[in-house]
Amino acid sequence: MAKVLAINAGSSTLKWKLFSLPEETVIASGMVDRLGLPQSKFVIKKADGEKYTETKDTIDAQEAAAMVLTRLKSDGILAHLSEITGVGHRVVAGGEDFKDSVVITPTTLKQIKDLSEYAPLHNPTQAYYIEVFQQLLPKAVQVAVFDTSLYATMPEANYLYSLPYDYYKQFGARKYGAHGTSHRYVANRTAEILGKDLKDLKLITLHLGSGASITAFDHGQAIDTSMGFTPLAGITMSTRSGDIDASLIPFLMRHLGISDVQDFINILNNKSGLLGISGVSPDMRDLDKAAAEDNHQAELALEIFANRVVKYIGSYIAEMGGLDALVFTAGVGENSVAMRARITKQLGYFGITIDDEKNNVHGQERLISQDGGKVDVLVVPTNEELMIVRDVERLTEKSPI
């Protein structure tokens, strides 16, 4: 019985799940939050629900990885670390180098580092964790699973910007997308729920969380996505602006007295979106409460969020010439009954209607469209870690782990 560890490393968090294969059973999971910051928090949860939490002054990245493996042994989850035969790592940017997940070699690790320019907050951290787990688990197969690989084969007309073509050829200036692992899982799971082949469906998957993106699948192929060269583009997000007119950047920099463009990019990434519009919070739950108390800017932020989602849905339906299913996932998509209703209310023209009673669900798989509706509408909780583990298993089939 093989055990595979799925690693989802961010700039300040380390999330993980340990799976038993081939059953795909989660036997432990956890996270380290506030890495490198005061009051770092380590959490591990066993399959039986028992949880252990520890708070320390500061936990750095290497200590976090060591704590995960130490607790797996000390809690009796593993008898020996050698039971872990594979480790799958989420990597944000694969550029055009990686059109699929890969077994990590010295060459691929160098490529991941070289692609850091495309994801400066993520690729360096994820490359570091790959090296740490290579040291701690030297006999385990290490696999990189790229967020961008789903979009590497999008139609050229959809991934290119209307810039001089040489900028793409020389510098790789194109749409790369993000959240690909989540969208890939949700699309495949939707096909299973509907009892159909993904290649027979036209789907739009809505990954609506703190970061948010929308992907169109036409007969099994991801043909378009809302995020762009970086995850800043697309719809309004918690703190990211989404699409704006590029001419606003020098205009506002001049009026704000900002000389470094990176300082303004920071505003677009961290001080805009729902937070910037509302002036209240980046969290939709806080905005729902404030809007109920007649806070105009909070209501406006919710309205703009839904508006941008609806615009992308409409454009993708036109692009594909129809739609079979619309799928909500991620934190907001899975849990906000009100936002799902707000979005679908504007889509009746396309035959997208939901049942209010069915829609009253949080974090559970459910078909929420009205009976007899032209388009199936679903809530499908994402499971990036399971997709990562399946890729580890797939890539090691010739040498079973």
Side-chain angles (χ1 to χ4, degrees):
M1 184 180 295
K3 294 181 176 65
V4 175
L5 189 61
I7 299 295
N8 187 343
S11 56
S12 62
T13 61
L14 173 65
K15 299 177 183 178
W16 59 274
K17 286 184 181 179
L18 181 65
F19 287 77
S20 175
L21 299 179
E23 301 88 351
E24 297 184 342
T25 303
V26 177
I27 54 178
S29 63
M31 71 177 297
V32 185
D33 197 13
R34 295 179 57 83
L35 275 170
L37 299 171
Q39 299 298 298
S40 298
K41 187 176 182 181
F42 175 89
V43 178
I44 183 170
K45 185 178 180 181
K46 297 182 182 180
D48 62 7
E50 182 183 347
K51 184 184 290 187
Y52 168 83
T53 302
E54 180 179 352
T55 301
K56 299 183 67 174
D57 286 342
T58 303
I59 302 175
D60 64 23
Q62 182 148 5
E63 185 182 8
M67 287 178 71
V68 171
L69 299 181
T70 299
R71 291 299 310 190
L72 287 175
K73 281 192 65 179
S74 65
D75 285 6
I77 297 167
L78 296 176
H80 304 284
L81 292 181
S82 59
E83 293 178 53
I84 300 176
T85 52
V87 183
H89 299 265
R90 176 205 175 204
V91 179
V92 168
E96 291 192 313
D97 295 354
F98 298 103
K99 294 179 171 60
D100 192 5
S101 303
V102 295
V103 174
I104 297 166
T105 65
T107 299
T108 56
L109 181 56
K110 181 180 183 302
Q111 288 174 285
I112 289 168
K113 292 178 179 178
D114 290 344
L115 288 163
S116 292
E117 185 176 12
Y118 298 102
L121 295 179
H122 294 89
N123 270 41
T125 299
Q126 289 154 353
Y128 178 77
Y129 274 109
I130 289 170
E131 292 177 316
V132 169
F133 279 99
Q134 283 177 330
Q135 294 168 7
L136 297 175
L137 299 169
K139 294 184 179 180
V141 177
Q142 309 277 334
V143 170
V145 180
F146 299 93
D147 273 359
T148 54
S149 63
L150 179 67
Y151 308 113
T153 57
M154 283 195 304
E156 192 175 32
N158 286 344
Y159 71 67
L160 281 181
Y161 293 109
S162 301
L163 296 169
Y165 191 73
D166 283 349
Y167 295 174
Y168 164 62
K169 299 300 291 183
Q170 293 181 46
F171 311 118
R174 58 158 283 181
K175 177 186 287 191
Y176 288 104
H179 297 146
T181 307
S182 173
H183 286 288
R184 184 159 56 100
Y185 171 80
V186 170
N188 281 280
R189 180 60 188 147
T190 297
E192 291 176 2
I193 293 170
L194 297 178
K196 297 180 180 178
D197 192 315
L198 182 59
K199 293 181 180 179
D200 295 329
L201 295 171
K202 296 180 179 183
L203 302 179
I204 295 176
T205 51
L206 309 174
H207 180 107
L208 306 181
S210 179
S213 62
I214 302 175
T215 294
F217 289 87
D218 194 351
H219 295 92
Q221 175 69 39
I223 63 157
D224 213 342
T225 193
S226 59
M227 284 182 167
F229 179 70
T230 73
L232 177 57
I235 65 173
T236 301
M237 299 173 236
S238 290
T239 63
R240 297 177 192 149
S241 65
D243 298 334
I244 65 165
D245 183 339
S247 295
L248 265 175
I249 296 175
F251 172 83
L252 289 173
M253 286 179 66
R254 185 169 65 252
H255 283 275
L256 293 168
I258 296 174
S259 57
D260 187 342
V261 69
Q262 195 55 48
D263 289 340
F264 195 78
I265 296 296
N266 181 61
I267 292 172
L268 295 178
N269 270 307
N270 300 305
K271 299 181 180 180
S272 302
L274 297 176
L275 173 63
I277 298 163
S278 70
V280 174
S281 171
D283 192 308
M284 200 164 287
R285 291 166 296 188
D286 295 335
L287 299 186
D288 283 334
K289 182 178 179 181
E293 296 170 351
D294 296 325
N295 184 306
H296 170 69
Q297 285 180 228
E299 172 60 29
L300 181 61
L302 295 170
E303 183 180 345
I304 288 175
F305 181 90
N307 172 275
R308 302 306 189 263
V309 172
V310 167
K311 285 181 178 179
Y312 266 96
I313 291 170
S315 69
Y316 289 167
I317 292 174
E319 193 173 352
M320 292 190 292
L323 184 67
D324 295 307
L326 180 70
V327 194
F328 290 89
T329 194
V332 173
E334 294 171 24
N335 294 290
S336 180
V337 174
M339 183 51 68
R340 291 195 300 260
R342 190 186 286 256
I343 290 169
T344 53
K345 183 180 180 180
Q346 300 182 56
L347 297 169
Y349 178 82
F350 298 109
I352 298 172
T353 55
I354 62 170
D355 182 292
D356 290 341
E357 185 175 340
K358 293 178 183 177
N359 185 44
N360 189 23
V361 64
H362 302 271
Q364 298 177 29
E365 285 186 356
R366 182 177 290 183
L367 192 68
I368 62 171
S369 44
Q370 289 184 356
D371 294 341
K374 287 177 58 179
V375 176
D376 290 318
V377 185
L378 302 91
V379 176
V380 178
T382 191
N383 195 336
E384 293 169 287
E385 291 82 9
L386 179 57
M387 187 59 69
I388 289 169
V389 166
R390 285 176 176 173
D391 278 4
V392 174
E393 187 176 27
R394 172 172 60 87
L395 291 169
T396 54
E397 280 181 346
K398 293 182 180 179
S399 300
I401 57 177

